[in-house]
Amino acid sequence: MTTCAQRLIELLEAQGIDTVFGIPGVHTVELYRGLEHSRLRHVTPRHEQGAGFMADGYARASGRPAACFIITGPGMTNIATAMGQALADSVPMLVISSVNSVATLGRGQGRLHEMPHQGQTLAGVARFSHTLLDPEALPEVLARAFAVFQGARPGPVHIEIPIDLFAAPVKAPMPAAMRVFPPAPAPRAVAAASRLLGEAQRPLVLVGGGACAAATSVTALVEHLDAPTLTTINARGLLGADHPLDLGATASLPATRRLARQADVILALGTELGETDYDLVFDDGFKLEGSLIRVDLDAEQLARSHIADLALVADIGLTAEALLGALERGEDEGRPQREVGRERCERVRHELALADDPELARYRPLFATLDEVLPEAIIVGDSTGPVYAGNVVARRPAPRRWFNAATGFGTLGYGLPAALGAGLARPDLPVVALVGDGGLQFVLGELATARDIALEADRARAEQGAIDRDSSEAACADTALARPLAILIWNNDGYDEIRRYMSADGVAHVGVDLAPPDFAALAQAFDCRYRQAASADDLASALSSLNDAGSPLIVEIDALAWCRRIEH
């Protein structure tokens, strides 16, 4: 007999899920019976919010969803924040939870973990939330979830299963996994868009995180158009580290805003045109006055923020390829004289003068050191000063190498658990968590998860007989376990960004001056290595030792000493 819980595990494996983040509870024990003999890797965070952030980081780094197994009630309210972040940034995540038994649903009897309407509560931070009342319907409900992940605008999906159904028998045979292909652009729309772009004198391209899977085709289109391009925070690295047409995430700055207003045709690919990418000064000053072409998998999003003149509900990669082909064919009829895109970008860079910005100057040595020592790393950030600066100045060689919680929902406590998820998803790359002392204190318990992952990797290496560093790294990659994690703590004794806002608004510093813990002692308690850094040389020395051992490396950066050294 196959139970509902066992069938769930089989279906997850068939859909390509390989990692589950979860904390077992009395309401999910039966799920773990099904997990015991599966190929799925289970990772135990120290809080359900951490589980959600780990699944988020896993998906952003790899483009593939992970699953979370979460208990009824408090487990679901704990993970809701992480689901909100993933929803805001269109990150796929499958959340499987328990819920009270079928006969007690909605009766308010004071059952363990009972919520009046758990599914309705979570529906606000999910693409959809479904309560499974018939075990035979499980394949259909999971197929809906993966249809969203593969063919629509992704985000969290929540499926709750009553505790008395986990052990219920399932009679139907195991179905084949459904593969959903995203929509191609309508030929008439491609013709209209290519005509507008072909006639443009001052084209502009806006690229969001929805284009990360289409870096090659989008880059080819941008280069053919010779168009200045704004890549959002979640699209960082899509055009490479130093592309001459990439102006990065500078849409909130005056020079870039002038460029945007002067553009006669704007092509927006996979971006919601949201505030945290285009209006970080919060004055609604990002304006588009030319013809706007938008491409997105979400039809409703095409009419939000900036209403498109021409809207395509389609896959970004397929659309970029189709537009490039149409533009190349149309050149037989002649191409209009237009300003050279690289020259337009250089003028904007000159006006931006980012190299002379004193607010950015304090952080430049940090990112220069990361580029030098760990050029291929995935850098995962929390909401903290260096991350805000890095959103403007950080260079990444490829997409999915820079993401953080300073977009969309804007949560604290994201950086460390999301970095753990990223490391599990991409064991071939080093991962750096860039966090503040305030944000890290939201999730200190996840240092234990970092230790657990490192110990598991050490055991795997030992079992494979890996002795020298090269073979141990290969073993780690072969077993899909993470490499050593670097945790950079920007320690400025509290919530410095909020202190700055308070100072600017004439508000007393109440609740923001916090004494940080002894991070050296915490590192020892959680079996992590520890180094201090007050300069770029200190940081380079610390990061150079990252692969000397398997344990996580905590580097505490004294923000005051660092900034003082830069200023002098």
Side-chain angles (χ1 to χ4, degrees):
M1 179 191 74
T2 299
T3 68
C4 179
Q6 291 168 334
R7 179 52 49 85
L8 171 64
I9 301 302
E10 294 170 353
L11 289 166
L12 292 179
E13 289 180 329
Q15 290 286 2
I17 294 289
D18 59 20
T19 302
V20 173
F21 301 98
I23 302 176
V26 295
H27 279 184
T28 56
V29 167
E30 196 63 35
L31 264 181
Y32 285 78
R33 190 197 308 276
L35 194 61
E36 180 183 7
H37 300 295
S38 76
R39 298 188 302 274
L40 300 180
R41 169 181 50 201
H42 183 274
V43 178
T44 307
R46 296 314 191 259
H47 191 277
E48 288 89 358
Q49 181 172 288
F53 286 150
M54 289 176 198
D56 178 299
Y58 185 100
R60 294 198 205 217
S62 67
R64 307 187 311 273
C68 298
F69 285 175
I70 307 297
I71 65 161
T72 324
M76 290 311 302
T77 54
N78 284 344
I79 201 175
T81 294
M83 292 174 66
Q85 183 72 49
L87 181 69
D89 286 344
S90 302
V91 176
M93 177 192 302
L94 180 60
V95 179
I96 306 292
S97 83
S98 54
V99 71
N100 293 89
S101 60
V102 174
T104 68
L105 291 179
R107 296 178 65 180
Q109 296 175 325
R111 303 275 178 169
L112 177 66
H113 300 330
E114 186 177 33
M115 292 175 65
H117 304 287
Q118 179 174 277
Q120 292 180 26
T121 300
L122 274 298
V125 287
R127 290 286 173 231
F128 72 82
S129 176
H130 181 89
T131 304
L132 186 75
L133 297 178
D134 177 5
E136 302 292 345
L138 181 60
E140 176 187 326
V141 178
L142 273 178
R144 281 180 58 204
F146 283 89
V148 170
F149 298 153
Q150 297 171 7
R153 184 181 181 184
V157 169
H158 171 228
I159 300 172
E160 60 180 14
I161 302 176
I163 55 177
D164 55 331
L165 294 191
F166 280 129
V170 177
K171 300 176 183 177
M174 174 71 179
M178 180 177 70
R179 175 74 188 276
V180 176
F181 291 88
R188 289 176 58 190
V190 171
S194 63
R195 188 162 51 250
L196 279 171
L197 290 165
E199 295 172 353
Q201 299 293 317
R202 297 176 303 282
L204 175 69
V205 180
L206 312 177
V207 179
C212 281
T216 300
S217 55
V218 170
T219 300
L221 177 61
V222 164
E223 291 175 345
H224 184 85
L225 290 170
D226 191 27
T229 301
L230 304 183
T231 48
T232 67
I233 294 165
N234 285 323
R236 173 62 47 80
L238 189 140
L239 299 182
D242 295 297
H243 198 288
L245 291 172
D246 188 5
L247 291 171
T250 61
S252 298
L253 302 178
T256 304
R257 287 181 165 190
R258 284 193 291 273
L259 176 80
R261 284 196 302 272
Q262 293 165 2
D264 56 353
V265 179
I266 304 98
L267 175 63
L269 301 172
T271 173
E272 65 178 1
L273 294 173
E275 180 180 70
T276 54
D277 281 315
Y278 297 92
D279 186 31
L280 277 172
V281 291
F282 309 118
D283 66 355
D284 293 324
F286 182 77
K287 304 295 182 184
L288 299 173
E289 298 176 0
S291 298
L292 175 60
I293 306 167
R294 294 188 69 173
V295 187
D296 202 286
L297 286 171
D298 184 350
E300 292 184 75
Q301 190 59 45
L302 295 170
R304 296 187 180 120
S305 300
H306 295 260
I307 297 177
D309 296 280
L310 178 59
L312 290 76
V313 180
D315 175 76
I316 302 301
L318 296 175
T319 303
E321 293 170 4
L323 284 174
L324 182 59
L327 287 164
E328 289 174 340
R329 291 190 298 272
E331 285 184 354
D332 294 338
E333 303 171 6
R335 182 172 181 173
Q337 293 294 317
R338 61 170 61 144
E339 294 184 61
V340 177
R342 287 162 175 77
E343 293 178 358
R344 294 168 64 200
C345 287
E346 283 305 313
R347 287 198 297 271
V348 172
R349 290 191 185 96
H350 178 74
E351 293 178 53
L352 289 172
L354 297 179
D356 301 323
D357 188 324
E359 287 295 314
L360 298 176
R362 68 184 67 178
Y363 304 114
R364 283 188 175 279
L366 188 155
F367 291 107
T369 302
L370 286 168
D371 286 345
E372 178 184 353
V373 182
L374 299 173
E376 297 296 320
I378 299 173
I379 302 176
V380 185
D382 217 320
S383 292
T384 185
V387 171
Y388 299 139
N391 285 337
V392 178
V393 303
R395 301 160 59 253
R396 292 290 87 203
R400 306 191 188 282
R401 306 285 179 94
W402 173 271
F403 50 86
N404 54 72
T407 61
F409 212 45
T411 62
L412 271 173
Y414 173 88
L416 172 58
L420 293 173
L424 291 167
R426 293 295 307 270
D428 56 316
L429 295 174
V431 178
V432 176
L434 183 53
V435 301
D437 58 297
L440 181 60
Q441 291 182 68
F442 279 50
V443 290
L444 284 176
E446 302 307 348
L447 289 173
T449 313
R451 175 199 61 200
D452 292 350
I453 292 170
L455 289 173
E456 185 182 1
D458 284 343
R459 285 194 296 269
R461 286 192 289 264
E463 289 172 2
Q464 294 184 32
I467 299 174
D468 62 19
R469 174 50 51 189
D470 290 338
S471 62
S472 67
E473 287 182 358
C476 193
D478 289 343
T479 54
L481 294 168
R483 294 166 66 172
L485 172 69
I487 305 166
L488 308 190
I489 306 172
W490 183 259
N491 187 352
N492 50 27
D493 297 340
Y495 302 133
D496 190 56
E497 292 302 308
I498 308 304
R499 275 197 295 254
R500 291 168 180 261
Y501 270 90
M502 286 179 162
S503 295
D505 289 344
V507 177
H509 293 177
V510 177
V512 292
D513 296 321
L514 308 178
D518 184 336
F519 289 114
L522 281 172
Q524 183 177 12
F526 287 108
D527 298 324
C528 297
R529 292 171 287 161
Y530 175 81
R531 296 281 296 272
Q532 287 182 313
S535 68
D537 288 342
D538 293 344
L539 179 60
S541 174
L543 292 177
S544 296
S545 69
L546 179 61
N547 290 323
D548 290 349
S551 58
L553 172 65
I554 293 176
V555 182
E556 182 180 358
I557 302 173
D558 184 329
L560 182 61
W562 179 286
C563 294
R564 188 185 299 119
R565 187 181 293 263
I566 298 299
E567 291 167 359
H568 291 87

